[in-house]
Structures are given as structure tokens and as C-alpha cells.
């Protein structure tokens, strides 16, 4: 599964440099976006990062540029929503240009800037070549983009180790390109690109033929432009000094990524890792200057993210004062950098607040502002909204997205005490109470001796009956040479303090779980609680430690594990409930909220297996049930779900999509999602870009949710709420709205709907006049009596196979040439005397038997029995099935009632043989039946 990889400071530096160059008109924006995307993708690959098609693609780069432009122009241009790192780097580029330039130089060294630019020159030369060799059908950009996409596909599928632009000669290129264009799956999944590549590949081959081999081409070095900075690198000695600084800086940065212990590392150890001869003063200077290193004490530095928590003087909670003005940018920063939520989730929460403001404005609230006003006033409005029943209904329809956003907003200012959490909660549930059983252990016995006796004599458990009590006394006497004087009742009372009680049997604790496994168990429990988990389910513990428990043969299930933990754990350390344990006596469980937080933090669809693994402290079936029944979680693909709040769509986009759906409905009475989705992709690429992690199915499910009450979604079919179309209805409507359509079009429709073809629905409004063509019944008129008369001339018995009519010269003219497909349609919809019996219709074949409506044969199995009885085959299943298919009685080599037809065929043969014995040469002979 692809992992979301955040930007680092080197990438952001290159992004800032690109924005500056575009603003200074030194490079075309489209060209710059393309180059930067290629450079960052190459850098990631060189660092061993597995990337997908989305990683740093051109659409993503263009979006990030708008965020950076917002910072560089102080909000005059671009879009808000930049991360904390973006803000810091933009500030550095303005206020500390020297430090920024050092990072930028390192960034350009890391990506092998010269080599990348040389590769780009090959591409640019091809563009120039195309301009002097114009192609009428496609533009230069279309051809080059197709080659880019094809090259990326080849590299990602290991068809080639280098891009098309890096290939040394035409033969190497043609070998790879031919493989690509010969792949059916590629042509199917990338139809548009494949069509362009059919033209682009010969053109690039011709270009390579006319060019010198790459080894003979002298491509000048393309230096990194620093125009406008006022600090161009001018002298060799300065370059040498910068190179030395850069080398040490880069080594230190790599050390910081690997050795991130917040407790720090001595300067001596750092120097030893850098190697002999390293300038210590320069190292100290760098460590004191950079933001990713913290000096904890003399000669001790930390690269850890939590270094400040060690220092204790820099850690401050994210706190907004009551009079502070809160902006949407601040809220986004809090969500992204403090709550560690995914960018898409952050944008969704920021947008939810804006929608709540619009609601307050439209409903004449005294104040309708949450952003750009004092935090105290915003908090007051939030409480008023959550007390508004109409708004609560609106919130419910939006799947509690406002409540979730409000909770985060109030948390930002530390204004979410328990009473407000309750007021913001829509659902109320009763909570279980931990077991509080106070026991007073008698002091008149040696517990350790009892435990030893229990382990020696009753490893598999003892019952509380007179026999086991007597055996226990005997074993105790034998082990310790002491006589127990307790009666059965007193002995039982004391034994209950000495082992694990499970299903009315007492087990020695060590006989259930050995000491080593016990350490593993409680280390696991402590670790889970230390990471913030509020509860642990016994079943989840039992499943997670199944390997450790493999040798614990007495441990039966999670209920026995619960009893063991209660007996063996430190006293008063945990609280025990029926299904789970906790360190909090008054723990409140909201698994839905925990699962919701997990999905929102991920910010993308998640496989159920990954969710189960991460949330293993919650029983798997409970997680599964919540995800599949709560409307906040939507299906993206088989076994993959996402939170509805990561779906990004504006009101304008929603209306635009509604117009598309309404357009189809006005024309056909329904819309098919595939057609809607194709149009969305063509018309709204930014919307698709903003939801790249979602599949077509995921977007369909999210849109269905937004259009609740406005449209009805049933599978792939969309209609108005008043209509409810079955798949059969859709086929009938399709035929109704198309006076003429082809077999291929019906096949495509079946794939879009993911259903079988409903031929009976088509037959109600159309006639199939050939293998390829269907026409409306309004376009054709049959002389039914005349046609029936012709069919009757072929009938010499109770039935005739439809394919036995192989001449249509005698059939009356109807404006179309007669054939078996038209005959099939006539028999299904028009004939007065005859009916076609078959096992279903087919797009590529006509099969079955024609029988008289008033004849003896009424069922298809009887027709098959008659055909089989007249054949010369042995009545075995495989032979019978093949024969029926060969003589076109069945449309496919499967027939569920074949056994019945064979049995009836056998009976017909037997009757014929019997009749043959009774009539020999016209003389009736007696027949004796034994």
C-alpha cells in the first residue's frame, strides 16, 4: 500500500526557487512544473523510495505552488492551507537568505541537477524537432506528454530501467516501446495515451535516427540559476568553501535522520561518524545554526523530534487565548502540525467551519463568525449552534462533520472540558462499571504451599468436591509433612485465593502460563496503555499474543485469559470489565470515535486488514461492524474503506455534477455512473486531483451520500427519488430511448452496469433484425399469419430446432433481410401458433426448439429429451451436453436440468424399443414384461 510521504526542507526549497523563477518570468510555469515534478520523482527513486503515479506529479506540484505563492506574496495570490514547514521555509527565504541558499544548493546537489537538466534537454530538443516537423493530428505537448506517461509506465512495471529520454539509441527505445504497445492490458487501461503513442513512437524513433548517439552529443552544463539573489557564486575558492560546508551539512543531516534519540549524542561521537579530518568548528557552527538540531548541554546535541520536551523550556501546548483572533490558516496549522491529521482531512475540517458560518449567517444569528473573530465569541457561537435542533439535524445529515470540526476547534484553545464534550456529543450511551469485589484473604494458611500443591497435583484444574479436597490434603501432607485440618468449606474458601477460577474449576496460574510468557503478556499490556490506549479487550490480547500462547496448552480462550490476568496482575493496577480492562476506573469507550480518528489521520482509504492490525486492542468483529454500518465510512474497493470527510468537493462542483446527472436523466430517465464518472474526469480535473486517493467507486459512494434525497443510487444506476429502476427496467428504457442500437452497445451497457443482459426486457420494445442490429418495434411490421404459415411448412413433428430453418426465401418481406435472429424475435414476441423454447438468449448465438403452442411439448427439458432420444449418442452427461450445444439447442455449454432431460430421453428410447418389439412385419406379438 502506498504511504503518504511528506515534503522535506530540500523539496520545499526547490519549490520556492521554482516559484521565484516563475514570478521573475525566467521560465514558463507549465515547463517549470513539469521539470520540478520529474526532478523530485528522480530524487525519490535515487533515495530508494517506492513511489506511485501520484507522488509529486504535475497536478500535485501545481497545487503546492499555489500554497507557496500564498506565503511568498503575503496572501495576495495563491491559496491558503500551507503546512508549518512551508511557512518556516518561506520565512527563511525572506529573512535568512544565506541559510536558505545553503539548503537550496544542497537540494540541487542531491538531485543531480546537471544530469537531470541534460536529460530534459533531450526532451526539449524533441519538442523543437516537432515544431519544425509539425503533425496535424496532435500538438507537440500531446505527443510529448504521451511519451512521458508511457515512459513512466515502463519504468514502474520494470519494462525499462531508464526513461525514454535517457535511452542511448533508437533500437533500445523501439524494443521497450514495442513491448508497451503490444500489452493488451495497457491499451485497455490507457486507451487515449496508447492511441497517441501509436503516432508518437515512430516520430521519436525518427528523431533519434536523425540525431547523433547520446555518447557523441556534447550537452553543455546547465548551471543553477540564482539570478536576482545578488549572491551569485563567483570565485573558485568560494565554491570550494561552499562545497566543504555542503558536504558536512549533508552528512549531518543524514545522521539526524538515523540517530534521532531525543536524549542526545555527544559531539565526540558525531565527529567519529563524520570521519577523520572533519573541521570540528564548522560542525559546531552548523549544529548551532540549523533548525533540526538542538543543543542539550555542552557538547551534547539532539536530532530527535521530542528534543524540546527534554529541555522542558520550549514545550508549550497549542493554546489560543480567549481574545485572540483565529484564522482558517491557524486552524489548518493546528490540525496538520499538532493533531497530525492528513492534509485532506484538515481541509475538510476547515471547510466544515466555513459551512457552519454560512448556516449561522443564513439563519440570522447575531454573530455568524468563527474565523477572524475572537476565540471566546467563536466558542459562544459553536455552543449556540450545537443547541439548535435544526442545525443538529443538518449535522446528522452531514454525518456529524460539524461536531467533529467544532471539537477540534475548541481543543485548539484548550476549551473542551468534560461538560462541553458532553454538550457536543450527539449520542449518549450507558457505560459498564468495573468489577469492585473486595475480598479479605484469611491469614491462617500458607498461600505459597497451597499454590505448589495445586500445581503439582492439579495442573489441569481441580473441582470443588470431596474427592479432590481429600486428594489435595494427601498431596499437601506428602509435600510438606503437614496435615490440613480445614473442613471442605474452609478449604475451598482458601483455595479460591490460590489459583485461577474458570468454569467452576481451579487452575494453578503457572500451569496456565509459564513465567516467561507471563512477562511477555504484562509487557504487552503495559506497552499498550503507555501508548495511549484507554482499554484493552481480552479477545484482542488473546489474538495478538497467539504465538506466545502457543505452548500454553491449558489456556482455553480469552475468558480464561481474563481470569488469569485478574489473578496475576499487580493489585489495584488495572480495572476489569466483562470484555476489556483499563487503567481508568471510569473509562468511557467510544470505538467509533477512535476508528474515526484513525481514518482521518490516515487521510486516505485503508485496507481492513491494516485497520484490524493497528486497532488490534479492539475485537476485529467490532471494528468490522462499525466500519460497515456507520455511514461515515465508505467503501473504496473490495476490503478498503475511507472516512467521508477526506472527500473534497465544493458546492459549485456538487452542482456541476448534479447538472451532469440531470442531463442524462432528462434524456434517458436514468443515468449510468460510468458515463457520469467519465464526464466528471473530462470536465473537472481539479476535483479529480483533489481526490486522487479515491477510486471511481469511492467517489460514487461519496457523491451518493451528498445527494441523499436528491437522487436515487441503485448500483450503477442513478435516477430521481420518485423512480426506482431495476436492472431490467434500465435495459427496457435503453431500448425505448434508442430507435436503433447494436449488439456491441448492449455489451458495453452490460459491462457498465455489471449485469447480465436482460434480453426479455429488450424484446418488449425492440426486434433483433440481425446479429449486430436491434430496431424499435415501431419500425417493423410482420404479417403474422403468413409467417406462421411458412414456419408450419417446416414442422413435420411436434418440434423443430430453430437452426433447422436455414432458408428464408419463403418468408414475407418486412423491410429487413430474414435470418435466424429475426426469426427468434418473431417467435418470442409475435407468433400466434408457435413458441421458442430455450435456456436463454445469447448475444452471439440463436438456439432452442420451435414447438406448437397447443402441442404436447410445453417445457424446454421435454424438447431436449426429444432431441437426445433421436440422437445416436450414449446418454452420458458430458456427451449429452456437447451434443445439445453442437446442434444449437442450448446457448452455452451448461444446462441445469440436463439430468431430467436425459432421464426423459431414456424413457422415450425405452418406449420406442418396446413398441418395436410389439410390431414386427405388421404382426402383433405378445410381450412379456418381467
Amino acid at each position: 500500500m502506498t504511504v503518504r510521504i511528506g515534503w522535506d526542507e530540500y523539496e520545499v526549497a526547490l519549490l520556492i526557487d521554482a516559484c521565484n523563477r516563475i514570478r521573475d518570468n525566467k521560465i514558463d510555469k507549465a515547463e517549470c512544473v513539469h521539470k520540478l515534478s520529474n526532478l523530485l520523482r528522480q530524487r525519490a527513486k535515487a533515495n530508494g523510495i517506492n513511489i506511485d503515479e501520484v507522488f509529486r506529479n504535475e497536478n500535485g506540484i501545481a497545487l503546492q505552488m499555489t500554497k507557496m505563492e500564498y506565503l511568498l506574496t503575503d496572501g495576495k495570490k495563491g491559496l491558503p492551507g500551507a503546512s508549518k514547514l512551508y511557512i518556516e521555509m518561506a520565512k527563511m527565504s525572506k529573512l535568512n537568505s544565506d541559510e536558505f541558499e545553503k539548503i537550496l544548493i544542497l537540494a540541487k546537489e542531491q538531485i543531480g541537477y546537471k544530469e537531470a537538466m541534460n536529460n530534459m534537454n533531450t526532451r526539449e530538443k524533441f519538442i523543437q524537432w516537432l515544431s519544425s516537423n509539425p503533425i496535424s493530428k496532435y500538438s507537440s505537448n500531446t505527443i510529448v506528454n504521451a511519451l512521458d506517461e508511457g515512459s513512466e509506465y515502463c519504468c514502474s512495471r520494470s519494462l525499462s530501467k531508464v526513461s525514454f529520454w535517457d535511452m542511448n539509441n533508437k533500437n533500445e527505445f523501439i524494443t521497450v516501446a514495442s513491448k508497451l504497445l503490444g500489452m493488451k492490458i495497457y491499451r485497455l487501461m490507457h486507451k487515449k495515451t496508447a492511441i497517441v503513442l501509436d503516432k508518437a513512437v515512430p516520430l521519436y524513433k525518427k528523431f533519434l535516427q536523425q540525431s547523433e548517439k547520446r555518447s557523441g552529443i556534447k550537452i553543455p552544463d546547465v548551471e543553477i540559476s540564482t539570478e536576482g539573489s545578488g549572491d551569485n557564486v563567483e570565485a573558485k575558492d568560494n565554491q570550494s568553501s561552499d562545497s566543504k560546508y555542503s558536504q558536512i551539512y549533508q552528512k549531518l543531516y543524514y545522521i539526524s535522520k538515523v540517530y534521532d534519540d531525543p536524549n542526545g549524542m555527544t559531539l565526540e561521537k558525531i565527529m567519529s561518524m563524520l570521519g577523520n579530518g572533519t573541521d570540528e568548528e564548522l560542525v559546531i557552527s552548523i549544529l548551532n545554526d540549523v533548525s533540526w538540531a538542538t543543543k542539550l548541554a555542552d557538547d551534547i546535541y539532539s536530532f530527535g523530534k521530542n528534543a524540546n520536551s527534554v529541555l522542558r523550556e520550549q514545550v508549550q501546548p497549542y493554546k489560543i487565548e480567549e481574545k485572540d483572533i483565529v484564522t482558517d490558516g491557524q486552524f489548518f496549522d493546528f490540525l496538520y502540525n499538532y493533531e497530525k491529521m492528513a492534509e485532506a482531512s484538515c481541509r475538510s475540517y476547515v471547510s466544515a467551519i466555513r459551512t457552519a458560518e454560512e448556516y449561522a449567517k443564513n439563519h440570522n444569528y447575531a454573530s455568524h463568525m468563527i474565523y477572524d473573530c475572537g476565540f471566546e465569541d467563536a466558542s459562544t457561537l459553536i455552543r449556540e449552534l450545537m443547541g439548535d435542533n435544526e442545525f443538529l439535524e443538518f449535522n446528522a445529515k452531514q454525518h456529524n462533520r460539524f461536531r467533529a470540526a467544532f471539537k477540534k476547534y475548541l481543543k485548539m484553545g484548550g476549551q473542551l472540558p468534560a461538560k462541553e464534550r458532553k454538550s457536543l456529543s450527539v449520542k449518549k450511551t450507558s457505560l459498564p462499571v468495573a468489577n469492585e469485589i473486595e475480598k479479605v484473604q484469611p491469614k491462617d494458611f500458607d498461600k505459597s504451599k497451597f499454590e505448589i500443591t495445586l500445581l503439582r497435583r492439579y495442573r489441569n484444574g481441580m473441582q470443588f468436591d470431596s474427592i479432590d479436597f481429600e486428594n489435595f490434603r494427601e498431596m499437601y501432607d506428602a509435600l510438606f509433612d503437614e496435615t490440613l485440618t480445614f473442613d471442605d468449606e474452609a478449604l475451598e474458601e482458601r483455595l479460591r485465593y490460590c489459583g485461577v477460577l474458570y468454569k467452576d474449576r481451579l487452575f494453578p496460574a503457572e500451569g496456565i502460563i509459564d513465567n516467561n510468557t507471563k512477562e511477555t503478556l504484562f509487557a504487552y499490556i503495559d506497552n499498550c496503555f503507555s501508548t495511549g490506549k484507554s482499554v484493552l479487550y481480552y479477545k484482542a490480547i488473546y489474538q495478538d499474543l497467539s504465538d506466545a500462547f502457543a505452548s500454553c496448552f491449558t489456556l482455553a480462550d480469552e475468558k480464561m485469559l481474563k481470569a488469569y490476568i485478574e489473578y496475576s496482575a499487580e493489585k489495584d493496577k488495572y480495572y476489569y470489565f466483562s470484555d476489556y480492562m483499563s487503567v481508568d476506573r471510569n473509562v468511557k469507550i467510544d470505538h467509533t470515535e477512535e476508528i474515526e480518528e484513525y481514518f482521518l489521520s490516515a487521510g486516505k482509504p485503508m485496507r481492513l486488514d491494516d485497520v484490524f492490525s493497528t486497532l488490534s486492542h479492539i475485537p476485529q468483529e467490532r471494528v468490522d461492524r462499525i466500519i460497515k454500518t456507520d455511514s461515515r465510512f465508505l467503501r473504496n474497493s473490495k476490503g478498503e474503506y475511507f472516512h467521508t470527510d477526506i472527500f473534497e468537493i465544493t458546492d459549485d462542483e456538487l452542482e456541476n455534477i448534479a447538472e451532469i446527472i440531470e442531463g442524462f436523466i432528462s434524456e434517458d430517465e436514468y443515468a449510468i455512473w460510468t458515463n457520469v464518472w467519465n464526464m466528471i474526469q473530462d470536465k473537472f480535473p481539479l476535483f479529480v486531483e483533489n481526490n486522487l486517493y479515491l477510486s471511481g467507486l469511492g467517489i460514487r459512494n461519496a457523491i451518493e451520500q451528498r445527494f441523499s434525497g436528491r437522487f436515487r443510487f441503485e448500483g450503477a444506476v442513478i435516477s430521481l427519488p420518485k423512480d426506482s429502476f431495476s436492472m431490467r427496467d434500465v435495459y427496457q428504457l435503453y431500448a425505448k430511448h434508442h430507435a436503433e442500437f447494436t449488439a456491441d452497445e448492449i455489451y458495453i451497457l452490460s459491462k457498465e452496469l455489471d449485469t447480465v443482459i436482460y434480453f426479455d426486457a429488450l424484446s418488449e420494445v425492440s426486434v433483433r433484425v440481425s446479429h449486430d442490429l436491434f430496431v424499435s418495434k415501431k419500425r417493423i411490421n410482420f404479417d403474422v399469419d403468413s409467417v406462421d404459415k411458412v414456419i408450419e411448412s417446416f414442422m413435420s413433428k411436434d418440434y423443430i430446432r430453430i437452426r433447422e430453418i436455414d432458408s428464408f426465401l419463403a418468408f414475407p418481406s418486412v423491410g429487413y433481410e430474414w435470418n435466424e435472429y429475426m426469426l427468434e424475435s418473431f417467435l418470442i414476441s409475435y407468433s400466434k401458433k408457435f413458441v421458442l423454447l430455450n435456456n436463454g438468449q445469447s448475444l452471439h448465438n440463436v438456439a432452442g426448439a420451435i414447438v406448437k403452442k397447443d402441442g404436447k411439448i410445453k417445457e424446454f427439458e421435454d424438447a431436449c429429451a426429444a432431441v437426445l432420444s433421436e440422437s445416436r449418442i450414449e446418454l452420458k452427461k458430458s456427451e449429452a451436453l456437447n451434443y445439445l450445444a453442437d446442434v444449437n439447442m442450448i446457448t452455452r455449454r451448461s444446462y441445469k436440468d440436463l439430468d431430467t432431460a436425459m432421464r426423459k430421453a431414456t424413457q422415450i428410447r425405452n418406449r420406442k424399443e418396446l413398441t418395436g418389439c410389439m410390431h414386427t412385419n405388421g404382426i402383433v406379438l405378445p410381450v412379456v414384461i418381467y
Side-chain angles (χ1 to χ4, degrees):
M1 177 174 289
T2 306
V3 179
R4 174 177 171 269
I5 302 172
W7 286 59
D8 61 31
E9 57 232 71
Y10 297 110
E11 292 178 301
V12 178
L14 290 169
L15 181 67
I16 293 173
D17 182 56
C19 290
N20 290 335
R21 296 176 67 197
I22 293 171
R23 189 173 65 250
D24 296 338
N25 296 318
K26 295 177 182 177
I27 188 171
D28 176 71
K29 182 175 180 179
E31 180 185 358
C32 187
V33 168
H34 180 80
K35 288 182 178 181
L36 184 58
S37 174
N38 273 278
L39 293 173
L40 296 183
R41 290 176 68 82
Q42 289 178 23
R43 175 181 183 264
K45 291 177 182 177
N47 289 335
I49 298 173
N50 292 323
I51 64 174
D52 59 11
E53 295 177 358
V54 178
F55 179 86
R56 308 297 186 259
N57 66 6
E58 292 184 30
N59 288 331
I61 295 294
L63 179 63
Q64 299 305 320
M65 278 186 171
T66 62
K67 296 180 181 179
M68 183 54 69
E69 189 177 23
Y70 184 85
L71 298 174
L72 296 176
T73 62
D74 298 323
K76 295 177 182 178
K77 295 181 179 180
L79 297 172
S83 68
K84 185 177 181 181
L85 177 61
Y86 276 38
I87 297 171
E88 291 176 351
M89 292 297 293
K91 185 177 180 181
M92 183 191 297
S93 71
K94 296 177 181 179
L95 304 179
N96 191 354
S97 59
D98 290 342
E99 176 70 14
F100 177 77
E101 283 299 319
K102 292 174 184 177
I103 295 175
L104 181 59
I105 291 170
L106 272 174
K108 291 178 177 179
E109 287 180 359
Q110 286 180 12
I111 61 175
Y113 200 87
K114 294 180 181 180
E115 179 183 353
M117 290 302 293
N118 284 340
N119 291 339
M120 291 300 296
N121 277 340
T122 304
R123 184 178 185 274
E124 290 169 355
K125 284 188 175 183
F126 180 55
I127 295 174
Q128 292 175 357
W129 182 86
L130 287 172
S131 64
S132 60
N133 297 270
I135 308 300
S136 58
K137 188 170 183 180
Y138 299 115
S139 67
S140 298
N141 282 339
T142 301
I143 291 173
V144 172
N145 288 339
L147 287 169
D148 284 337
E149 292 179 24
S151 176
E152 177 65 30
Y153 186 90
C154 289
C155 291
S156 66
R157 299 303 191 279
S158 300
L159 294 176
S160 174
K161 295 182 179 179
V162 296
S163 73
F164 288 167
W165 314 113
D166 294 335
M167 292 183 177
N168 295 324
N169 56 61
K170 64 179 179 59
N171 293 330
E172 183 182 6
F173 168 70
I174 288 299
T175 300
V176 176
S178 298
K179 288 180 182 177
L180 175 66
L181 294 179
M183 295 171 64
K184 292 183 180 179
I185 187 66
Y186 177 78
R187 300 195 73 93
L188 180 64
M189 301 301 294
H190 302 80
K191 292 179 182 178
K192 294 180 180 179
T193 304
I195 292 171
V196 179
L197 281 175
D198 288 334
K199 188 69 177 177
V201 167
L203 288 171
Y204 190 57
K205 175 187 175 184
K206 186 176 180 181
F207 164 75
L208 292 175
Q209 286 174 329
Q210 295 177 5
S211 303
E212 295 180 6
K213 289 186 177 179
R214 188 174 299 276
S215 59
I217 297 176
K218 294 183 178 180
I219 302 176
D221 288 343
V222 181
E223 296 298 336
I224 304 167
S225 172
T226 56
E227 296 178 29
S229 68
D231 294 316
N232 291 339
V233 180
E234 297 176 348
K236 290 185 178 179
D237 55 342
N238 287 340
Q239 290 176 347
S240 175
S241 175
D242 285 345
S243 176
K244 181 178 180 182
Y245 180 96
S246 297
Q247 290 174 1
I248 296 176
Y249 185 105
Q250 189 167 352
K251 288 182 180 179
L252 284 170
Y253 182 77
Y254 287 147
I255 291 173
S256 76
K257 294 298 183 185
V258 178
Y259 297 91
D260 58 354
D261 184 355
N263 293 316
M265 180 187 300
T266 64
L267 179 62
E268 182 181 0
K269 184 173 181 180
I270 294 172
M271 293 300 298
S272 67
M273 297 174 71
L274 292 172
N276 295 331
T278 304
D279 187 337
E280 183 173 323
E281 291 185 3
L282 183 55
V283 171
I284 294 173
S285 173
I286 293 172
L287 290 173
N288 290 335
D289 287 344
V290 296
S291 60
W292 38 264
T294 304
K295 186 175 183 180
L296 300 181
D298 289 340
D299 297 338
I300 298 178
Y301 293 86
S302 172
F303 304 115
K305 294 179 180 178
N306 299 319
N308 288 338
S309 66
V310 178
L311 291 174
R312 296 182 181 276
E313 71 261 18
Q314 295 184 24
V315 172
Q316 295 293 335
Y318 197 103
K319 180 84 176 198
I320 301 294
E321 299 299 330
E322 291 185 349
K323 300 299 182 182
D324 284 353
I325 304 298
V326 179
T327 66
D328 55 356
Q330 282 177 290
F331 186 41
F332 184 97
D333 177 66
F334 167 73
L335 296 171
Y336 189 80
N337 294 303
Y338 286 79
E339 292 295 290
K340 303 301 180 184
M341 294 174 65
E343 190 171 334
S345 302
C346 298
R347 287 197 294 269
S348 176
Y349 275 39
V350 170
S351 174
I353 297 290
R354 292 196 191 101
T355 305
E357 287 181 322
E358 290 179 13
Y359 176 93
K361 183 177 180 180
N362 294 334
H363 287 74
N364 300 317
Y365 274 69
S367 170
H368 62 268
M369 298 179 67
I370 297 176
Y371 295 136
D372 302 320
C373 71
F375 183 80
E376 182 179 17
D377 294 336
S379 302
T380 300
L381 176 57
I382 288 172
R383 284 190 287 271
E384 289 176 358
L385 286 171
M386 293 309 293
D388 182 338
N389 290 331
E390 187 177 347
F391 181 80
L392 290 178
E393 290 181 10
F394 181 40
N395 176 60
K397 290 180 180 179
Q398 293 285 317
H399 308 283
N400 290 324
R401 64 191 294 254
F402 301 113
R403 178 181 66 86
F406 289 164
K407 287 178 70 175
K408 292 294 184 185
Y409 186 92
L410 295 176
K411 183 179 180 181
M412 177 175 63
Q415 303 296 313
L416 197 62
K419 61 180 182 180
E420 288 200 13
R421 284 201 297 271
K422 184 176 180 181
S423 70
L424 287 175
S425 178
V426 177
K427 296 181 179 180
K428 297 180 181 179
T429 56
S430 58
L431 298 170
V433 180
N435 294 333
E436 296 183 5
I437 302 175
E438 292 294 335
K439 298 179 180 179
V440 179
Q441 177 181 317
K443 299 180 180 180
D444 57 353
F445 75 104
D446 190 330
K447 181 179 178 181
S448 62
K449 291 182 179 180
F450 270 51
E451 289 175 333
I452 293 171
T453 306
L454 191 63
L455 181 63
R456 291 287 297 273
R457 183 68 175 82
Y458 292 104
R459 179 175 288 270
N460 294 319
M462 71 171 289
Q463 292 179 314
F464 293 128
D465 58 28
S466 57
I467 296 176
D468 278 354
F469 287 147
E470 191 59 36
N471 289 336
F472 182 87
R473 292 187 183 97
E474 291 178 1
M475 176 59 69
Y476 188 92
D477 192 2
L479 289 173
F480 304 108
D481 196 22
E482 294 179 16
T483 301
L484 291 175
T485 58
F486 301 115
D487 60 23
D488 289 354
E489 183 177 347
L491 182 58
E492 177 181 342
E493 179 186 0
R494 284 149 184 78
L495 279 170
R496 286 180 178 272
Y497 291 97
C498 302
V500 177
L501 191 62
Y502 173 71
K503 291 187 176 180
D504 296 325
R505 293 178 68 87
L506 187 69
F507 294 83
E510 195 173 338
I512 299 173
I513 294 178
D514 60 80
N515 289 329
N516 289 334
T517 307
K518 176 183 176 181
E519 290 180 10
T520 301
L521 168 63
F522 285 103
Y524 168 87
I525 292 172
D526 290 340
N527 181 64
C528 287
F529 285 131
S530 68
T531 58
K533 291 181 173 62
S534 58
V535 299
L536 277 177
Y537 279 84
Y538 304 117
K539 187 170 185 178
I541 301 172
Y542 187 74
Q543 291 172 343
D544 282 358
L545 296 182
S546 58
D547 289 342
F549 293 150
S551 59
C552 302
F553 303 110
T554 308
L555 184 60
D557 53 28
E558 68 272 11
K559 293 181 180 178
M560 189 176 198
L561 177 63
K562 172 184 182 291
Y564 174 85
I565 293 173
E566 288 189 50
Y567 176 80
S568 304
E570 290 181 34
K571 187 178 180 181
D572 300 329
K573 186 174 183 179
Y574 307 113
Y575 294 93
Y576 305 99
F577 301 81
S578 59
D579 296 322
Y580 56 86
M581 59 188 293
S582 177
V583 290
D584 182 0
R585 178 180 180 179
N586 300 311
V587 63
K588 298 178 180 179
I589 300 178
D590 187 349
H591 291 315
T592 302
E593 184 173 352
E594 185 174 0
I595 296 169
E596 183 179 25
E597 287 287 343
Y598 171 75
F599 272 92
L600 286 172
S601 297
K604 63 181 180 181
M606 299 299 296
R607 301 288 304 171
L608 287 179
D609 288 344
D610 294 327
V611 181
F612 298 152
S613 176
T614 304
L615 304 178
S616 60
H617 58 288
I618 307 174
Q620 179 175 316
E621 62 271 16
R622 191 163 301 192
V623 177
D624 186 71
R625 183 173 64 254
I626 289 172
I627 292 173
K628 291 180 179 178
T629 58
D630 194 303
S631 60
R632 283 171 286 187
F633 306 107
L634 302 177
R635 186 166 174 257
N636 193 59
S637 63
K638 185 177 181 180
E640 186 176 73
Y641 289 78
F642 64 95
H643 193 285
T644 183
D645 280 357
I646 75 166
F647 175 60
E648 297 187 47
I649 188 168
T650 65
D651 291 340
D652 288 341
E653 288 169 339
L654 203 60
E655 285 307 308
N656 289 334
I657 293 172
E659 288 179 8
I660 292 175
I661 295 173
E662 287 166 350
F664 282 112
I665 291 176
S666 65
E667 184 175 341
D668 299 325
E669 299 184 48
Y670 65 89
I672 296 175
W673 168 248
T674 304
N675 297 333
V676 174
W677 176 228
N678 288 337
M679 194 169 287
I680 289 173
Q681 290 174 296
D682 288 339
K683 288 191 171 185
F684 311 119
L686 182 59
F687 163 74
V688 177
E689 165 68 21
N690 288 338
N691 294 283
L692 272 178
Y693 280 121
L694 302 184
S695 66
L697 174 63
I699 290 178
R700 173 226 173 273
N701 291 335
I703 288 176
E704 176 188 2
Q705 196 175 73
R706 297 300 194 275
F707 283 142
S708 176
R710 185 169 181 178
F711 298 109
R712 180 192 294 272
F713 285 70
E714 295 184 23
V717 179
I718 310 170
S719 62
L720 295 176
K722 64 183 180 63
D723 300 318
S724 178
F725 296 126
S726 65
M727 290 300 107
R728 186 185 186 282
D729 295 332
V730 174
Y731 279 91
Q732 189 178 76
L733 286 170
Y734 182 89
K736 177 182 175 182
H737 289 285
H738 294 79
E740 187 177 286
F741 54 92
T742 67
D744 286 343
E745 288 169 338
I746 283 297
Y747 175 76
I748 292 171
L749 177 67
S750 71
K751 293 304 175 186
E752 290 173 344
L753 297 175
D754 193 24
T755 65
V756 298
I757 299 173
Y758 286 78
F759 285 100
D760 60 331
L762 298 177
S763 297
E764 290 182 12
V765 291
S766 64
V767 175
R768 190 174 186 181
V769 296
S770 70
H771 175 277
D772 297 320
L773 187 63
F774 294 77
V775 300
S776 170
K777 283 186 173 181
K778 296 177 182 179
R779 289 191 175 187
I780 193 167
N781 289 306
F782 289 104
D783 183 343
V784 176
D785 292 335
S786 297
V787 177
D788 275 347
K789 188 173 181 180
V790 175
I791 296 173
E792 192 168 21
S793 68
F794 287 88
M795 299 289 291
S796 58
K797 48 189 175 183
D798 290 337
Y799 76 93
I800 182 175
R801 287 181 291 106
I802 188 171
R803 296 301 286 269
E804 288 186 71
I805 299 180
D806 53 5
S807 173
F808 296 93
L809 296 177
F811 283 77
S813 175
V814 291
Y816 294 91
E817 184 177 347
W818 274 92
N819 55 66
E820 63 270 25
Y821 292 97
M822 190 186 296
L823 177 59
E824 178 186 53
S825 290
F826 175 83
L827 290 165
I828 291 172
S829 302
Y830 294 93
S831 180
K832 298 176 181 178
K833 293 184 176 182
F834 304 100
V835 66
L836 177 66
L837 299 178
N838 59 24
N839 67 332
Q841 293 172 257
S842 167
L843 204 59
H844 304 293
N845 188 22
V846 173
I850 304 171
V851 301
K852 297 175 181 178
K853 287 187 175 181
D854 58 357
K856 297 178 181 179
I857 298 178
K858 301 294 185 182
E859 302 294 336
F860 180 55
E861 63 186 47
D862 294 325
C864 288
V867 172
L868 289 173
S869 69
E870 294 177 2
S871 70
R872 297 180 178 275
I873 66 167
E874 186 177 355
L875 291 179
K876 292 184 177 180
K877 196 164 186 175
S878 60
E879 292 185 28
L881 188 64
N882 288 333
Y883 180 78
L884 291 175
D886 291 342
V887 298
N888 291 296
M889 275 296 289
I890 55 178
T891 54
R892 53 192 177 275
R893 291 185 188 273
S894 63
Y895 177 39
K896 63 183 181 66
D897 294 321
L898 180 62
D899 289 335
T900 303
M902 289 171 57
R903 186 174 66 252
K904 290 185 176 182
T906 301
Q907 291 172 352
I908 294 171
R909 283 184 175 181
N910 290 339
R911 284 199 299 270
K912 287 181 178 179
E913 290 175 3
L914 184 61
T915 303
C917 291
M918 294 176 63
H919 296 81
T920 303
N921 297 325
I923 302 174
V924 179
L925 300 177
V927 178
V928 179
I929 300 176
Y930 294 94

